[in-house]
Amino acid sequence: MTTDPSLSVVLAGGGTAGHISPLLAIANALREARPGVRLLAVGTPGGMEARLVPAARLELATVSRVPFPRRPSMDLLRLPGRLAGAVKQAGVILDEAKADVLVGVGGYVCTPMYLAAWRRKIPIVIHEANTRPGLANRVGSRLGGHVAVAFAATRLGASRHVGMPMRKEISGLDRTAARTAARAALGLDPDRPALIVTGGSSGAQSINRTIAASAGLLAEAGIQTLHLTGRGKAVHDANGKPLAAPGYQQREYVDGMETVYAAADLLLARSGAATVCEVAAVGLPAVFVPLPIGNGEQALNAAGLVAAGAALLVEDSAFSPGWVREHIIPLLQDPDRLARMAASAEQLGIRDADQRMAGLILDTAATAGTKSRQAQSRPARSLKAKSSTQQSRKR
């Protein structure tokens, strides 16, 4: 391990936790691999990164958000000017940082950053989190970016499969060793089967409705349920009071999903890329209810675990108390099947994606530095050779 304060890495991405979390994990891995490395994160002013990045002790610069309209509109006519302005901002950031390499993880900010880096011949390293690549990373790959992907099924240039960079608290989790303390922290019975439900920090109303309607069924089957409803989405009964039932408890959220992963026998969640990769890494059986809007990437994200028998998948429109009774309750009453699912998940999980990304970034920077030094040395030799040739001709 060497200290190299001369190396400058700019990391671009943001808008959602799905982009910010891997960015922060990559930054931490770079700090470990190359103490003294200069790091700068770039996002948009209104994204979650404005809060999360500084909290992680990482400097943040911002570029104006330039959404790409999906339909003809006045915004489409304004796009070229807005994009040009954002690329100019991105270029100033790269120049002031004296960037040796740009790392992009997706989001609006990445397109102008990729274009500015390409113009300056700064090498680009891309991490694509979803099975179906986003627009920004497709642009970056066409500009010659070195591409790494979270899912083996992702098709994006000549990519390498590295997995999803994640926090050490999750990638290093031993569910068996942490189980007792995690259940105590969450107020769960140490011996009863535990279903933990989450729709993410913002919640999922359709999941919340079905779980609320299924609370009695689950309790009758001897199953305890921890329902993470999402901020501002507490579930109420017919009298407008917070829903209460035997074996059921609700919270808006839990800080530190590693505690949830350790405590649960089964997780029920949306199939965002981070969630899918994290449950695989820690070996946790899951039921996925993909987000019904968008381009279908959530169902694709879950496909590998479902095919391997590590998870179940149900469409949002089909997720009902009847489905809970027919599928979730029998599963939670079958410890052997849960154990097989956990083993299958763990076989597909990747725990060192952050280190793999750090290695790729450092290798790319080193290769680019070598090529730059070689290019700088060629003109002098070429000029000398040209001079010798001219003198030979004169003689």
Side-chain angles (χ1 to χ4, degrees), residues 322-385:
W323 200 94
V324 171
R325 182 177 56 250
E326 294 175 17
H327 298 277
I328 291 180
I329 289 175
L331 176 55
L332 279 162
Q333 293 174 333
D334 190 343
D336 291 339
R337 186 182 175 194
L338 288 172
R340 292 193 299 271
M341 291 176 70
S344 296
E346 201 161 8
Q347 286 182 355
L348 294 178
I350 297 176
R351 290 179 178 251
D352 64 346
D354 57 339
Q355 297 168 41
R356 297 186 187 191
M357 280 299 299
L360 173 59
I361 294 161
L362 295 175
D363 288 347
T364 299
T367 300
T370 299
K371 289 181 178 179
S372 177
R373 288 190 295 272
Q374 290 174 344
Q376 290 171 3
S377 65
R378 285 191 191 110
R381 290 196 298 269
S382 299
L383 184 60
K384 183 177 179 180

Side-chain angles (χ1 to χ4, degrees), residues 6-76:
S6 66
L7 180 64
S8 174
V9 180
V10 174
L11 304 107
T16 66
H19 290 136
I20 301 165
S21 294
L23 183 151
L24 295 179
I26 293 168
N28 287 333
L30 284 168
R31 284 169 171 161
E32 290 182 1
R34 191 66 61 89
V37 63
R38 289 182 290 122
L39 300 175
L40 174 67
V42 185
T44 56
M48 294 176 65
E49 59 270 26
R51 175 175 56 87
L52 297 178
V53 169
R57 297 180 297 107
L58 187 61
E59 184 181 356
L60 177 69
T62 59
V63 170
S64 297
R65 183 176 180 270
V66 184
F68 285 72
R70 298 181 183 275
R71 299 176 181 176
S73 65
M74 288 301 296
D75 283 339
L76 186 59

Side-chain angles (χ1 to χ4, degrees), residues 54 86 114 154 288 306:
Y114 290 150
T154 302
F288 294 121
V306 174

Side-chain angles (χ1 to χ4, degrees), residues 144-158:
H146 302 266
V147 181
V149 295
F151 295 98
T154 302
R155 297 291 173 260
L156 185 63

Side-chain angles (χ1 to χ4, degrees), residues 104-154:
V105 297
Y108 289 119
V109 71
C110 282
T111 299
M113 293 300 298
Y114 290 150
L115 290 168
W118 175 71
R119 289 179 178 178
R120 287 160 175 74
K121 297 184 179 180
I122 296 172
I124 299 168
V125 177
I126 297 166
H127 183 270
E128 174 54 54
N130 287 293
T131 305
R132 181 169 286 165
L135 175 60
N137 283 349
R138 295 203 303 271
V139 170
S141 70
R142 291 180 178 274
L143 297 177
H146 302 266
V147 181
V149 295
F151 295 98
T154 302

